[in-house]
């Protein structure tokens, strides 16, 4: 895999993009990850889902998408996400995710990490974006960014789309907010989104969910041997849950390299002086995923 930086930049840099998609991921995964990160002295960028956890709606997807079922079985989703999570938004009401834990949001920030905007309703975005109206998307951003402001007391600097799903309407709407950069794709290198003019800092390493463990650990460490600038996608539900020991193993592996761990805003600052290509994203089905991602 090629790295994020051009030949002019030989520094080895790794960003940790930690997505929080569920209530349990916030409640249990985030504190666990904070403990692990502090042990290693790594600073990460947390992309939080603010609003309802409608994870249970994923069950509806099983019926419609055989690839999704395969992924759920491979990743042992029952253990990974828990039985209650599997029912939120269907038999159980959807609890709010970050909005339920204002103190925990403060704790993330006071530990030196960054908090950015991931979602209002993560599940509905990833399942329904394409058939929803512009008004629905605008309302989703309004609720989500408002919740972010309530919790963090400032504007978000970045948006990372749920499941790396975006379309051209989304790239129009993000311009209404003071985002300085996006992290919405799985492209191999950073670029400028043609529609919004915003910098894209993609997650350009695969995640545990896609490779399984322990293979994920060795695969990621192997890619890092090439050197360069990378962003690793991490999920609070997984690496902060049943796969925590593999995440620790990965952190230990990274610590023994010369990689510098930087939050995404610092990577953005470094990239600002580089000429980046301006282009449109496209959707691609990546190995180990159940639905296409923007690249
Ligand atoms: Zn997510």
């Amino acid at each position: 895999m090629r790295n994020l930086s051009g030949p002019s930049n030989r520094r080895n840099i790794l960003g940790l993009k930690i997505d929080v998609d569920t209530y349990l991921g916030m409640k249990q995964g985030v504190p666990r990850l904070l403990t692990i990160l502090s042990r290693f002295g790594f600073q990460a960028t947390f992309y939080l889902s603010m609003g309802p956890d409608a994870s249970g709606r994923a069950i509806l997807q099983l019926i419609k998408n055989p690839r999704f079922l395969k992924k759920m079985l491979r990743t042992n989703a029952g253990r990974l996400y828990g039985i209650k999570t599997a029912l939120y938004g269907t038999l159980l009401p959807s609890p709010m995710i970050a909005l339920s834990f204002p103190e925990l949001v403060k704790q993330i920030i006071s530990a030196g990490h960054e908090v950015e905007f991931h979602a209002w309703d993560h599940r509905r975005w990833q399942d329904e974006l394409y058939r929803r109206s512009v008004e629905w998307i605008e309302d989703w951003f309004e609720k989500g960014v408002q919740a972010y402001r309530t919790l963090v007391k400032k504007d978000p600097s970045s948006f990372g789309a749920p499941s790396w799903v975006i379309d051209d309407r989304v790239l129009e709407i993000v311009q209404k907010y003071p985002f300085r950069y996006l992290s919405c794709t799985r492209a191999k290198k950073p670029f400028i989104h043609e529609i919004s003019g915003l910098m894209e800092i993609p997650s350009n390493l695969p995640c545990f969910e896609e490779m399984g463990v322990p293979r994920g650990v060795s695969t990621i460490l192997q890619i890092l041997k090439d050197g360069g600038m990378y962003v690793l996608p991490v999920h609070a539900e997984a690496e902060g849950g049943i796969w925590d020991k593999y995440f620790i193993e990965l952190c230990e592996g990274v610590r023994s390299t010369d990689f510098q761990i930087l939050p995404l805003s610092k990577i953005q600052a470094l990239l600002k002086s580089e000429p980046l290509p301006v282009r449109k994203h496209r959707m691609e089905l990546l190995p180990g995923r159940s639905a296409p991602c923007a690249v």
Side-chain angles (χ1 to χ4, degrees):
M1 188 173 302
R2 284 175 301 169
N3 56 45
L4 280 180
S5 60
S8 60
N9 190 337
R10 295 187 193 284
R11 287 171 70 186
N12 289 336
I13 287 163
L14 177 65
L16 302 173
K17 176 180 185 278
I18 300 179
D19 290 354
V20 181
D21 299 353
T22 65
Y23 177 84
L24 265 189
M26 186 74 195
K27 187 182 180 186
Q28 296 173 358
V30 169
R32 180 79 187 113
L33 288 174
L34 288 178
T35 305
I36 297 171
L37 292 168
S38 90
R39 192 207 292 185
F40 289 93
F42 292 168
Q43 284 179 348
T45 304
F46 285 76
Y47 281 78
L48 302 185
S49 297
M50 302 290 151
D53 179 350
S55 304
R57 298 180 61 81
I59 287 176
L60 302 174
Q61 294 304 304
L62 293 182
I63 305 158
K64 296 185 223 157
N65 185 346
R67 277 201 302 265
F68 190 86
L69 177 62
K70 250 166 77 183
K71 181 186 154 188
M72 295 290 270
L73 292 173
R74 189 185 61 242
T75 57
N76 194 359
R79 260 189 81 210
L80 185 55
Y81 294 104
I83 295 303
K84 262 173 98 177
T85 302
L87 300 177
Y88 288 148
T90 55
L91 296 177
L92 292 173
S94 300
M96 292 290 165
I97 302 177
L99 277 175
S100 299
F101 302 96
E103 287 307 313
L104 188 48
V105 175
K106 281 187 205 156
Q107 235 179 291
I108 299 172
I109 296 164
S110 61
H113 307 290
E114 295 178 335
V115 167
E116 296 299 351
F117 175 55
H118 190 33
W120 171 249
D121 184 332
H122 191 291
R123 191 73 236 174
R124 279 193 170 79
W125 177 283
Q126 74 185 92
D127 292 341
E128 301 171 14
L129 177 72
Y130 301 130
R131 60 175 187 272
R132 290 293 191 167
S133 66
V134 168
E135 291 71 31
W136 184 89
I137 304 171
E138 285 173 337
D139 180 58
W140 188 97
F141 270 98
E142 267 312 297
K143 285 179 179 149
V145 171
Q146 204 45 53
Y148 178 97
R149 287 175 179 141
T150 303
L151 289 169
V152 187
K153 316 280 185 250
K154 68 174 184 77
D155 284 320
S157 305
S158 179
F159 169 57
S163 301
W164 300 288
V165 168
I166 49 171
D167 65 14
D168 290 353
R169 301 172 304 168
V170 172
L171 293 168
E172 294 282 352
I173 292 168
V174 291
Q175 298 175 68
K176 296 182 191 165
Y177 296 94
F179 298 128
R180 286 187 288 114
Y181 67 98
L182 303 177
S183 189
C184 290
T185 79
R186 298 290 299 271
K188 293 194 170 81
K189 290 178 173 188
F191 62 94
I192 306 293
H193 284 279
E194 193 179 292
I195 291 181
S196 64
L198 285 167
M199 184 194 290
E200 166 69 26
I201 303 180
S203 295
N204 64 343
L205 286 170
C207 56
F208 283 180
E209 232 186 348
E210 292 156 5
M211 296 175 290
V213 286
R215 194 169 83 93
V217 178
S218 52
T219 305
I220 292 164
L221 292 175
Q222 190 58 40
I223 295 169
L224 293 180
K225 280 187 183 157
D226 293 343
M229 200 185 268
Y230 295 95
V231 171
L232 176 72
V234 175
H235 292 91
E237 295 72 26
E239 285 88 337
I242 59 167
W243 290 342
D244 59 347
K245 69 172 183 172
Y246 299 103
F247 185 60
I248 293 169
E249 217 178 282
L250 179 65
C251 289
E252 279 165 352
V254 167
R255 189 170 52 182
S256 66
T257 67
D258 64 348
F259 268 83
Q260 192 185 358
I261 312 298
L262 289 181
L264 266 61
S265 72
K266 297 253 171 72
I267 295 180
Q268 191 246 348
L270 287 175
L271 288 170
K272 256 195 308 204
S273 55
E274 293 205 10
L276 298 177
V278 179
R279 66 169 178 89
K280 285 189 121 179
H281 73 280
R282 56 174 203 284
M283 301 304 289
E284 196 177 296
L285 184 61
L286 301 174
R289 297 211 63 83
S290 59
C293 294
V295 294

